[in-house]
Amino acid sequence: MHDQAPRECLASHRVDNQPYSLPFDAFADDAVLQFWLAHLAPAWVSCRLSLLGQDVGRAETQRLGDEANRHPPSLRLFDRHGRRLDAVDYHPAYHALMRLATTRGVHTMAWTEEGHGGHQAHVAGLYLLTQAETGICCPVTMTHAAYPVLRRERSLPDWWASGLLVEDYDSRALPASDKHALTFGMAMTEKQGGSDVRTNTTRAEHGEDGWRLYGHKWFMSAPMSDAFLTLAQRDEGLSCFLVPRFAPDGERNAIEIQRLKDKCGNRANGSAEIEYRGAWAHPLGDPGRGIATILEMVQQTRLDAASAPVGMMRQAWREAWQHTCQRHAFGAPLAEQPVMRAVLADLALEVEAGVALMLRTAQAFDGASRGEEQERALARLLPSLAKYWHNKRAPGFMAEAMECLGGIGYVEEAPLARLYREAPVNSIWEGSGNVICLDVLRVMARHPEAMAALYQLFEHARGGHPDLDRALAQLPQPQTSEDLVPRARWLTQWLAQCTQAALLVQHAPHEVADTFCRTRLGQHPSPAYGVLPTASPLDAILHRSAPA
């Protein structure tokens, strides 16, 4: 990835037919992203993201992503004199990537440009950032998502919310009031309940100096953040609290890190198991309404969890394309051989459908902030559809891209091994598949206007392709009262794919929309990539996705 002028003439042979890693511009080389931004977002978004795309594609940035994964964070519980630190030390590469993300404003754009494409800029920025390293996206997402919760809390000093809007990065272990730029984490789940946070047992007790928390958290995301949103029980019920890393007296808060999780992937990012030992906390929102208080943050983080896998798929596709264009087998470049072209084209269709749904979902968030009821209704439903389906497609996508490289893709020097290990995390984070599908049913039951808005989106595409029309005919009516729980996964998948198809039919070139509808919604869809109908327009699809 970052070797300079390697020797090709070795003692016993010459190194031939091995591709080089080429420099790229993650924005300028992505015609699909540019196309959908031009159709769905204000012009300023593309201008703002062009610099980030240049940053991401630089060899130095790619090297930072590799190093951040090879040197995961380490835990220091005590200083040399036996005083508790509960510190997590990160490799300098991690801090450099965090600085890149924050100075480009990925965590702030949704709020500084709220209602004017800010959410689209945010998710597109996250899509680009994942192509450098996904581990930094967790604290970036948490910092972004905490802002709407904090800005409504009048009992907090103003610097808490304003510190989240600073386009800078400050990794120092200091009280938040002494820092100009802040980052946030989250500590929600416990051993006994996981996604069922209503079973949480962490308790909040009120004393002379305010609220103190006692209890255990199974996962704390981004444990070196300046503060964490968490849930704890008080007399009124489960409530939301802000827990700062430093208590008001300037001492380290009583948040004891028990261990860092040894995760399958997402290794650059720290995830901790912690104990609250009387940690000072500030209540947020109404007592007993913790889940309601945190709900807006969860919707934001779910949108990010739906966007990150699309960025990962784009990175994996680019690696596969670059390799197959340079690698020869059986007398021709791999990328010119029919079976490989079918695989690459099918993967490209998946990326484009993901980009379209990601940006349309963010567009709904922007419309909702402008008070548009139709968009607010869509914003309740689309994040769950996108999060579920994009993450179900990602692991198989990474495996197929890895296979395009063969054995060299399976070793850790290639980013595909890292992406493959990373692929499941966003499916689990912020609600695993079953939780998300049940949430879709909950939205259908409690917010019929959301399904009505989605069906209206479908109406704009009806008649555009026969396979889409047949798929729409299979969907239950928005006002249906039948018990859909056993079919929740089918319904969520079908709604997501129909939404992707509807967007492609309305906006994308015919070659893309037609091939997508035939392969995803046709009579015999294949679970494997690369199974395309005869005479599919491979040249047009590949030309559209290939780097300039």
Side-chain angles (χ1 to χ4, degrees), residues 190-212:
E190 298 180 7
K191 292 177 181 176
Q192 71 283 353
S195 296
D196 187 4
V197 295
R198 293 170 298 180
T199 65
N200 282 9
T201 60
T202 296
R203 68 187 190 279
E205 298 181 1
H206 192 265
E208 294 181 359
D209 62 345
W211 289 92
R212 297 279 177 172

Side-chain angles (χ1 to χ4, degrees), residues 89-333:
D89 294 330
Y90 292 82
H91 190 270
Y94 177 91
H95 293 300
L97 290 168
M98 280 294 295
R99 183 163 288 105
L100 167 63
T102 54
T103 55
R104 290 299 183 202
V106 177
H107 64 303
T108 66
M109 288 186 284
W111 314 121
T112 56
E113 299 288 348
E114 191 170 9
H116 303 284
H119 284 90
Q120 291 170 297
H122 168 73
V123 299
L126 196 78
Y127 164 93
L128 294 173
L129 274 179
T130 61
Q131 298 175 53
E133 164 50 34
T134 57
I136 62 168
C137 293
C138 177
V140 170
T141 287
M142 295 297 178
T143 303
H144 150 79
Y147 180 75
V149 177
L150 267 60
R151 69 178 173 182
R152 287 196 301 269
E153 188 59 48
R154 301 303 178 192
S155 62
L156 278 175
D158 291 341
W159 48 261
W160 272 114
S162 62
L164 299 184
L165 296 182
V166 177
E167 294 183 0
D168 200 359
Y169 176 61
D170 187 346
S171 62
R172 296 176 298 168
L174 293 173
S177 57
D178 295 340
K179 299 176 66 171
H180 67 289
L182 303 177
T183 60
F184 261 63
M186 181 188 285
M188 297 292 171
T189 59
E190 298 180 7
K191 292 177 181 176
Q192 71 283 353
S195 296
D196 187 4
V197 295
R198 293 170 298 180
T199 65
N200 282 9
T201 60
T202 296
R203 68 187 190 279
E205 298 181 1
H206 192 265
E208 294 181 359
D209 62 345
W211 289 92
R212 297 279 177 172
L213 302 189
Y214 299 86
H216 176 270
K217 293 296 177 182
W218 191 223
F219 273 90
M220 171 181 274
S221 299
M224 295 317 291
S225 300
D226 296 296
F228 310 90
L229 295 189
T230 196
L231 294 174
Q233 300 283 357
R234 51 189 286 186
D235 291 344
E236 297 86 350
L238 193 63
S239 304
C240 186
F241 291 86
L242 181 154
V243 185
R245 190 171 163 195
F246 285 80
D249 61 5
E251 293 291 319
R252 290 178 183 266
N253 210 353
I255 308 169
E256 296 189 358
I257 300 178
Q258 296 184 326
R259 59 171 172 163
L260 295 182
K261 301 291 192 178
D262 186 8
K263 296 172 294 186
C264 168
N266 199 244
R267 301 189 69 83
N269 176 44
S271 298
E273 186 176 343
I274 64 102
E275 194 85 18
Y276 291 131
R277 294 291 186 91
W280 187 92
H282 186 96
L284 299 177
D286 295 330
R289 298 278 294 166
I291 295 177
T293 300
I294 213 73
L295 190 60
E296 186 171 358
M297 182 179 185
V298 169
Q299 281 295 86
Q300 297 291 336
T301 55
R302 281 184 177 172
L303 175 55
D304 284 15
S307 303
V310 185
M312 292 165 61
M313 287 192 280
R314 171 62 187 182
Q315 182 184 7
W317 189 90
R318 187 182 60 248
E319 289 289 330
W321 175 256
Q322 177 178 282
H323 179 90
T324 57
C325 284
Q326 298 180 71
R327 176 79 166 176
H328 287 65
F330 309 109

